[in-house]
Each structure stands twice: as C-alpha cells, then as structure tokens.
Amino acid sequence: MKIGLERIAEKSRLDCNLRFTSLAHHITGERLAKNLNLMKSGTGSGIDKESKFEAQRSFNTWSKEMIIAIHRKGYKPPPVRRVFIPKPGKVEKRPIGVPTVRDRCLQRSVSEVLSAIYEQDFLKFSFGGRHNRSAHHALGYLTQRISNRKVSWVYEADLKNFFGSLDHGWLEKFVSHRVGDPRILTLIKRWLKAGVMIDDKKESSEVGSPQGGSISVVLSNIYLHYVLDLWFSKVVKPRLKGEAYLCRYLDDFVVCFQYKSDATRFERSLKHRLSKFSLELEPSKTRLIPFGKFSARDANERGYKKPPVVSFLGFTLYGTRLPWGYWGVVLKPQSSRVSRFLNRLKEVMRWNRHLPLREQAKAINSRLRGFVNYFGLPMTSGIHRAIRNVCIRYWRKMLSSRSQSGRINWDRFNKILEFHPIPYNKLPFTYDKWISFSVSVN
C-alpha cells in the first residue's frame, strides 16, 4: 500500500500539472481494514448506530460490497448524524457531522490518496490536517518570521463559518485540477451532497462540508490552497513594496508585513477575493496591529499604552527583550484558555470526588499532562506551576466536601499526595530545543 502512494507522490512532485485518471484501485480491502483498526474503540457511531466492533465483525462482507460499488460508481454515502458541541467561551454551539463507521473508514482511505497528491502542491506556510504540520509547527514558523525578518505589522484573520460556506462548484473544480478519476470525483461530490440528519429528518446540503469527517479536512485545505495560498504567493506578494509572510492553520491565518501600506492594500483585496468564493471574514477575530521589533518603541506614538499582542492557536504572542539581550517573540497560553481549562478540571474533580483516590489522581494527571504537552513552550513554567497549585488546593477542597465531618487538613493531604502524587510535568520544549524546532520548520 505504501509503495503505491509513494509512486503517486513522486509523480505529483515531478509534474505539477499531471491529472491522475486512475486512483480508485488504491482503495483496497487492506487499506480499509487498516483505517478501521486505527479508529478509537469508543468512536461515535453514525445514523446506523453501528459501533467499531460491529463493523470489524462484519468487515469481510461490507468491505467487498463497498469496493464493488465504488468501481461501479454506485456507492451512496449515508447522511451524517448532526450533533452540537459547545463552543469554548460562547453560548452558541458548534455543529459537527458524525459519519457512519464504514463511511468514515472510506473517507480516511480516500484522504490518504488525495494527500499523497496534494502534499506535493501545498505550500510550506500551510499547516493543519497534514502530516508533520501541527499547531506547534505553525507557531514555530510564525515566531521565526516575526523575530528574524522585517516585520512591523501583523494582520490576524479568521474565516466566518468556513466549513459551512464552502462552494461545492468551486471545490469540485479545484479537485479536478489534479484528480481525473471519475470514481473519486463522484465519491467527493456525493459526500458533499449527502446531507445531515437532525431529529430523524434529513436536510440537504447545497453548500459547505460537514465538519467532523476526515475528508472535510483535506477538502478544506485544497479549497484554501487555491483561494488563499496560491493567490498570496503568486499574485499578492510580488506586487508589495516590502516583505510579507503568510502562516495558515486550516481556516485561521496570520499575515506579516513590513509596511502598513502593503497591509491595508492586502486587507482590501482579501475581502474582494474571499467574496468571489463565498467566504467571509469574522469581524470579531480580524484586525491589523503593529507588531515587531519596533512596536514597543512606537506604541506611544500610535496611541497604545502598551504594545499590542497577537493571538494565534490559543497562544498570546508578545515581543520582549530576552534576558540574553536581543529582541524575540515569547508565547504564553491565552488567559481565556487557562481559565477554561481550570473550570473544566474543577468540574471533573467535583464529579469524581467520591471515586478511589488512585482514579482521581489518574484523571487529574492525565488532564494536566495534556495541557502541558500543548501549552508547554519555553518561558511558561510559572503558569504551569500556578495551575498545578490551584489544582492541588481545589482537590483538597473537594476531598474535604465528601462528608460533613470529612475535612482534610494539610498534614493529612500531604500524606495523600505522597501515595497519589500530582507531579510537575516537565515542559516538552526548552528554549534551545524550541529554537531548533522552529528553525527546522522554516
């Protein structure tokens, strides 16, 4: 299987105009079985309520039928199950589409084939939904550009309801630039038109791609590759007076400029460009601010009490004079993310306070470890120590509230911590390691 995709990737890399007219034979039973086994055991079921275990048990039957239907262009994906999850810090909820386990398995397999082609086309400043192009890679790329290049202005942008606004006609045109296999094109078209099930009622989908399926991530990257990335690289950047750099993570992106005049021109052109492809900026998350080596010096002249900061992927980026003398960009978790994490952790401790101490400590440590693994960048150790201290104090409070006469003093609680410790998690990045990591991304 790997050799087949490597051949596709090599051909795509050697000829950027090549259209692949035969791809469906790469959707094999072996690939479907591999992607089915990679799913988590508790993965959500679709409208058929079939679990992963049930799909594995009947795999030999339905996989053969699915492959035959794909080659005959007779496969019709079932509608996705619509669920709503809360948006962090907001009242409204985010709609998520949950495909069936079988359909999700097929989506992952097609995504692998499409990724082998488009990974050769995607530009280096595109992150998210790609192999070895995570949020940390995007942050490293952005900080290196701001720290080491001529950057004085930063344009933060976020697309409004991006996954629900994708134009099917444009998306099919973009995919057909590289994919000429009618069986794959038919699959993609039917996934876009599959619709959603809400309260046992099917609603058709004429625009957008349900967020939740793996094929949606690949298609969204393809869409923005043509709408934004290529346009910025081939059309916008050559016409600017100074330097400019784009960093995109799915539908969140930041653009760095040397001159304000270039930034304002880009802002005007961007709105016109996005409207052509049925996209719109989110006003509350879009702004142009001075940011760079000279922003602190010029803050008072521009009417700022202190230099503005940049928000990207849950981090706050601010410029400062580092202890060893030169100016650099420092990243810290956004205060809203820290508050949200602590509120969620406290809620978990409230619900789990009657469980055995070992299980409570395991749940707490698991969440603390996950927070540090993402937000544990250099110069954030003080924040993580403070979070750990808050966690320990609240855990003692919850254990003391298990009964009216069950107050636990600190001497007794310290003995509990000896047997069920809440250790301080070591940061995954030291400053030197983070710098070398950021340079490797560039």
Side-chain angles (χ1 to χ4, degrees):
M1 291 189 297
K2 186 176 180 180
I3 293 176
L5 293 185
E6 287 176 349
R7 289 178 177 174
I8 292 177
E10 184 179 3
K11 290 182 178 180
S12 177
R13 182 170 55 253
L14 294 176
D15 188 354
C16 60
N17 296 316
L18 178 63
R19 289 185 79 225
F20 292 84
T21 57
S22 181
L23 293 172
H25 63 278
H26 291 284
I27 311 301
T28 62
E30 294 179 0
R31 191 177 302 281
L32 292 173
K34 182 202 72 171
N35 287 310
L36 180 60
N37 293 330
L38 288 176
M39 292 185 190
K40 295 182 179 179
S41 299
T43 184
S45 58
I47 60 173
D48 59 356
K49 299 181 180 180
E50 183 182 43
S51 65
K52 174 188 173 181
F53 175 74
E54 294 171 341
Q56 287 176 323
R57 191 169 52 186
S58 59
F59 175 79
N60 292 331
T61 302
W62 64 260
S63 61
K64 295 178 181 177
E65 296 175 354
M66 177 180 287
I67 293 174
I68 294 174
I70 291 171
H71 287 282
R72 296 176 57 188
K73 294 196 289 187
Y75 177 77
K76 296 182 179 180
V80 298
R81 179 170 62 90
R82 175 73 80 197
V83 296
F84 294 90
I85 61 174
K87 281 187 176 182
K90 295 184 178 180
V91 178
E92 64 268 20
K93 295 186 177 182
R94 185 191 307 275
I96 296 292
V98 183
T100 62
V101 174
R102 300 181 185 183
D103 191 55
R104 202 178 315 158
C105 179
L106 178 59
Q107 286 190 27
R108 290 191 176 193
S109 301
V110 175
S111 298
E112 288 182 350
V113 178
L114 293 179
S115 296
I117 299 172
Y118 283 98
E119 278 298 321
Q120 320 309 317
D121 295 348
F122 290 152
L123 303 181
K124 65 179 181 179
F125 51 75
S126 167
F127 302 88
R130 300 175 56 191
H131 177 66
N132 204 26
R133 308 288 285 179
S134 66
H136 285 159
H137 290 91
L139 291 165
Y141 179 88
L142 180 60
T143 54
Q144 283 293 309
R145 287 293 182 269
I146 296 176
S147 301
N148 301 329
R149 304 299 173 89
K150 297 178 181 178
V151 173
S152 298
W153 293 85
V154 171
Y155 182 72
E156 301 177 22
D158 185 28
L159 297 176
K160 184 177 181 179
N161 189 25
F162 169 67
F163 285 93
S165 304
L166 296 180
D167 185 274
H168 293 177
W170 280 113
L171 182 55
E172 291 170 15
K173 289 180 182 179
F174 294 152
V175 174
S176 64
H177 286 326
R178 294 290 258 162
V179 178
D181 190 333
R183 296 162 294 184
I184 299 298
L185 294 175
T186 300
L187 268 179
I188 293 174
K189 184 176 181 178
R190 289 179 178 174
W191 272 322
L192 294 174
K193 304 290 185 182
V196 296
M197 292 293 291
I198 304 177
D199 298 330
D200 297 330
K201 294 182 180 179
K202 181 180 177 181
E203 293 188 2
S204 59
S205 52
E206 299 300 327
V207 294
S209 176
Q211 190 174 357
S214 57
I215 196 66
S216 299
V217 178
V218 179
L219 295 180
S220 66
N221 270 330
I222 295 174
Y223 199 87
L224 285 180
H225 171 71
Y226 288 101
V227 173
L228 180 64
D229 298 353
L230 284 180
W231 173 70
F232 177 82
S233 179
K234 304 294 184 182
V235 179
V236 174
K237 198 171 180 179
R239 301 181 181 181
L240 300 180
K241 296 179 182 178
E243 298 182 8
Y245 306 98
L246 170 67
C247 179
R248 179 177 66 82
Y249 186 89
L250 293 180
D251 58 332
D252 295 337
F253 60 95
V254 173
V255 193
C256 307
F257 297 95
Q258 181 179 358
Y259 299 118
K260 184 178 181 181
S261 58
D262 289 341
T264 53
R265 285 182 59 197
F266 171 79
E267 186 175 15
R268 290 193 300 266
S269 301
L270 178 64
K271 294 179 181 178
H272 177 72
R273 174 72 177 181
L274 294 179
S275 63
K276 179 180 178 181
F277 299 96
S278 305
L279 298 178
E280 185 181 355
L281 291 171
E282 177 61 55
S284 61
K285 298 181 180 180
T286 302
R287 60 175 184 160
L288 175 63
I289 58 172
F291 191 83
K293 294 181 180 180
F294 307 107
S295 59
R297 184 193 67 185
D298 301 336
N300 293 331
E301 299 177 5
R302 291 169 176 157
Y304 294 96
K305 294 183 180 180
K306 58 181 181 180
V309 295
V310 176
S311 299
F312 189 54
L313 301 180
F315 284 88
T316 297
L317 288 72
Y318 64 93
T320 185
R321 185 70 60 181
L322 298 175
W324 34 92
Y326 56 86
W327 188 91
V329 176
V330 178
L331 297 92
K332 288 193 176 181
Q334 292 178 359
S335 57
S336 59
R337 292 293 185 100
V338 175
S339 300
R340 189 191 315 159
F341 171 76
L342 286 175
N343 292 335
R344 176 56 183 159
L345 187 60
K346 290 179 179 179
E347 183 181 354
V348 170
M349 285 189 280
R350 283 197 300 270
W351 283 101
N352 295 348
R353 57 185 162 180
H354 295 290
L355 296 178
L357 294 177
R358 179 181 298 177
E359 295 184 18
Q360 293 187 49
K362 182 179 179 181
I364 294 171
N365 285 326
S366 175
R367 284 164 174 78
L368 288 175
R369 197 180 307 115
F371 185 85
V372 171
N373 285 342
Y374 182 73
F375 289 103
L377 297 187
M379 305 179 73
T380 60
S381 57
I383 295 175
H384 298 293
R385 290 186 186 276
I387 290 174
R388 176 181 175 272
N389 293 336
V390 171
C391 172
I392 289 176
R393 290 197 298 268
Y394 196 80
W395 191 26
R396 172 181 168 269
K397 180 180 178 180
M398 288 297 99
L399 293 180
S400 299
S401 67
R402 294 199 292 182
S403 65
Q404 293 180 350
S405 60
R407 184 178 182 277
I408 298 176
N409 57 33
W410 278 105
D411 292 335
R412 185 181 172 189
F413 185 69
N414 287 332
K415 292 181 180 179
I416 292 176
L417 290 178
E418 291 179 5
F419 291 96
H420 308 287
I422 307 295
Y424 173 72
N425 293 283
K426 185 178 179 181
L427 301 185
F429 289 103
T430 62
Y431 192 82
D432 292 338
K433 186 177 180 180
W434 172 249
I435 292 298
S436 61
F437 173 82
S438 302
V439 171
S440 65
V441 177
N442 291 268

